[in-house]
Amino acid sequence: MRKAGTEQRSGCGPLITPWSEQMRPLRQQVFERIRAHGLVPRVQLAKDLGVSPASVTTMTQELIEAGLIAETATPAAAGRGRPAVALGVRAGAHVVAGLKLSDREHTAVVVDFAGNMLADDAVAREPGPATLDALLTSVEELLAKVCAKAGIAPAALSGVGIGVPGFVDHAEGMVHWSSTLVEREVPLASAAAARIGCPVAIDNDANLVALAELWFGAGRALADFAVVTIEHGVGMGFVMNHRIYRGAQRLGMELGHTKVQLDGALCRCGQRGCLEAYVADYALAREALTALNLNHRQSPSMTVLLESLYQHAKAGNTTARSIFRRAGRYLAMGLANVVNLFDPALIILSGERMKYDYLYAAETLAEMQDLVINSGRPRPPIEIHAWGDLLWAHGAAALALGEVSDRALDGAREMAAQ
């Protein structure tokens, strides 16, 4: 703990880093708004950004010369007069891929610079952690397959985004721990880039679901929202001021490892009492072994075990229902904590486990409402998105698009300065 000092300081107030989120270059603001609209005329850009039409004309001309946007004629109002001219991102300017690597399946998508999906693919894998070399081989093989579907060579990719579960430092490209890897402290971004021959960005997979919602889904028009993922683990991605929030050391938002019970159930992270240890698939499976009178030698695969537990619950098995009910109560506690801490505009529950509706039954969501501070204002709405792993891969593609866009805009700035 640091002690407050009494030494004389010069100045006061926040020292805002130049070109931070509050001071994004106009060129970037123009490009991002064009990308968000799809097609937009210059006059609308000037109005939306509160700048002069001349400034917009200058910026858009630089972006056109850099090959990032293009003019498109649109039909005139009521079919009269000359066609209006709108601006849109040049879809063919760049192509990127997004991959989600998980314990049981790897998925991939290829999208163009405008975010249109060109191809997708998925490959199953044996459960459990893999060596870095084996994981990179899987990445290489999956990229080759999905690029073949898209009709391009992997060498044509401008960037690749990869999402993995665990503790991931996006800025450093480092995986400190992941259930998909045997090793710890793995520089996955640089290792993957060296293997596949193009820039690679990595992130925690829950962040990528939030990115997918921010770029393509329910979060596009929201400044602040949370995505809670429930699959092999419990994760959270949080969007603050239209950007992913990662924390000071870029390892924040680990909702699954917040403690809900002192000296409680063992979590796969090695600690006890984590939310994940009561809600994730392995927590339900641990309870199911007892509920279904199975021993570990008889235990079927995780998927089969959970499906069996769900079917027993639907058939009225009291024990099976109580397992989901217990998990649901812990989930309600975790969601209430999210609301009390962050006050998001929306909470999205996402992931494969969302197909088990007993987990988020009406009583679970009602209990969450009871645990939230009563401020007299409406609680944030909750949406259920039971989408598959392609959503996560889309988030990885959004990560790659963001990185490629930043590099392309830097190039446009350098061209304009010459």
Side-chain angles (χ1 to χ4, degrees):
M1 179 180 296
R2 290 186 290 185
K3 294 182 179 180
T6 58
E7 66 272 14
Q8 182 68 38
R9 300 180 188 278
S10 59
C12 66
L15 294 169
I16 300 175
T17 304
W19 307 126
S20 65
E21 296 300 330
Q22 294 90 349
M23 300 175 62
R24 299 192 335 276
L26 179 59
R27 183 181 294 99
Q28 182 178 350
Q29 295 180 53
V30 168
F31 176 79
E32 289 178 350
R33 189 158 289 271
I34 293 171
R35 182 173 61 196
H37 276 283
L39 287 174
V40 60
R42 287 181 175 84
V43 64
Q44 186 64 46
L45 281 173
K47 181 179 178 181
D48 290 349
L49 295 173
V51 298
S52 69
S55 296
V56 167
T57 298
T58 300
M59 289 295 106
T60 54
Q61 187 58 39
E62 291 176 5
L63 293 171
I64 290 171
E65 290 173 0
L68 303 182
I69 65 172
E71 294 180 327
T72 301
T74 60
R80 288 178 288 181
R82 292 185 299 174
V85 174
L87 298 165
V89 171
R90 279 192 63 239
H94 295 279
V95 181
V96 304
L99 282 73
K100 192 247 180 164
L101 309 180
S102 75
D103 300 302
R104 295 173 183 82
E105 185 181 49
H106 300 326
T107 54
V109 297
V110 172
V111 303
D112 63 25
F113 200 44
N116 303 306
M117 189 170 77
L118 305 180
D120 64 82
D121 211 329
V123 294
R125 57 159 293 199
E126 289 295 319
T131 64
L132 173 60
D133 187 64
L135 197 69
L136 292 178
T137 297
S138 297
V139 167
E140 204 171 19
E141 292 173 350
L142 181 54
L143 269 182
K145 286 183 63 178
V146 74
C147 285
K149 279 189 174 182
I152 64 170
L157 294 172
S158 297
V160 174
I162 297 177
V164 295
F167 306 136
V168 181
D169 187 328
H170 160 70
E172 297 294 333
M174 180 74 68
V175 178
H176 295 287
W177 171 85
S178 174
S179 58
T180 62
L181 279 164
V182 172
E183 302 96 336
R184 289 176 175 257
E185 309 300 330
V186 175
L188 181 60
S190 59
R195 178 70 71 93
I196 63 182
C198 78
V200 173
I202 67 170
D203 209 340
N204 171 272
D205 55 1
N207 281 344
L208 297 186
V209 180
L211 269 178
E213 296 286 3
L214 179 64
W215 280 63
F216 306 110
R220 292 194 64 206
L222 298 177
D224 306 276
F225 66 92
V227 175
V228 175
T229 60
I230 305 173
E231 285 206 326
H232 317 306
V234 176
M236 185 170 83
F238 193 82
V239 170
M240 184 180 296
N241 192 26
H242 305 284
R243 295 289 187 270
I244 291 289
Y245 177 77
R246 294 186 174 90
Q249 299 186 58
R250 302 174 294 277
L251 296 173
M253 300 296 105
E254 285 293 340
L255 178 65
H257 299 288
T258 57
K259 303 302 180 280
V260 295
Q261 182 69 55
L262 289 174
D263 302 319
L266 182 64
C267 178
R268 64 177 177 172
C269 75
Q271 297 189 5
R272 291 187 174 274
C274 297
L275 176 64
E276 181 176 297
Y278 295 91
V279 178
D281 60 356
Y282 65 88
L284 295 175
R286 191 160 51 195
E287 298 289 330
L289 287 174
T290 302
L292 303 178
N293 295 315
L294 296 173
N295 60 44
H296 289 279
R297 291 182 180 178
Q298 296 173 307
S299 176
S301 70
M302 186 80 73
T303 301
V304 172
L305 189 59
L306 292 178
E307 286 291 343
S308 179
L309 181 68
Y310 185 55
Q311 294 304 321
H312 276 74
K314 288 178 67 176
N317 183 293
T318 304
T319 304
R321 286 193 174 191
S322 70
I323 291 173
F324 281 108
R325 177 69 184 122
R326 179 172 182 254
R329 295 197 69 190
Y330 277 105
L331 176 60
M333 184 189 303
L335 296 178
N337 289 339
V338 171
V339 175
N340 290 336
L341 281 169
F342 299 107
D343 186 28
L346 171 69
I347 295 178
I348 300 170
L349 299 182
S350 185
E352 189 178 351
R353 297 297 161 258
M354 290 298 98
K355 66 185 177 184
Y356 300 132
D357 52 11
Y358 278 102
L359 188 61
Y360 56 90
E363 57 263 36
T364 293
L365 299 185
E367 187 160 4
M368 182 216 81
Q369 302 285 9
D370 291 339
L371 293 171
V372 171
I373 295 171
N374 185 4
S375 64
R377 296 185 177 183
R379 310 292 202 269
I382 294 180
E383 294 187 8
I384 313 297
H385 292 179
W387 297 336
D389 272 5
L390 281 181
L391 173 70
W392 309 63
H394 265 97
L399 179 68
L401 279 175
E403 299 279 331
V404 169
S405 298
D406 288 347
R407 292 198 299 271
L409 290 169
D410 285 344
R413 176 179 56 80
E414 292 172 1
M415 284 180 57
Q418 293 175 354

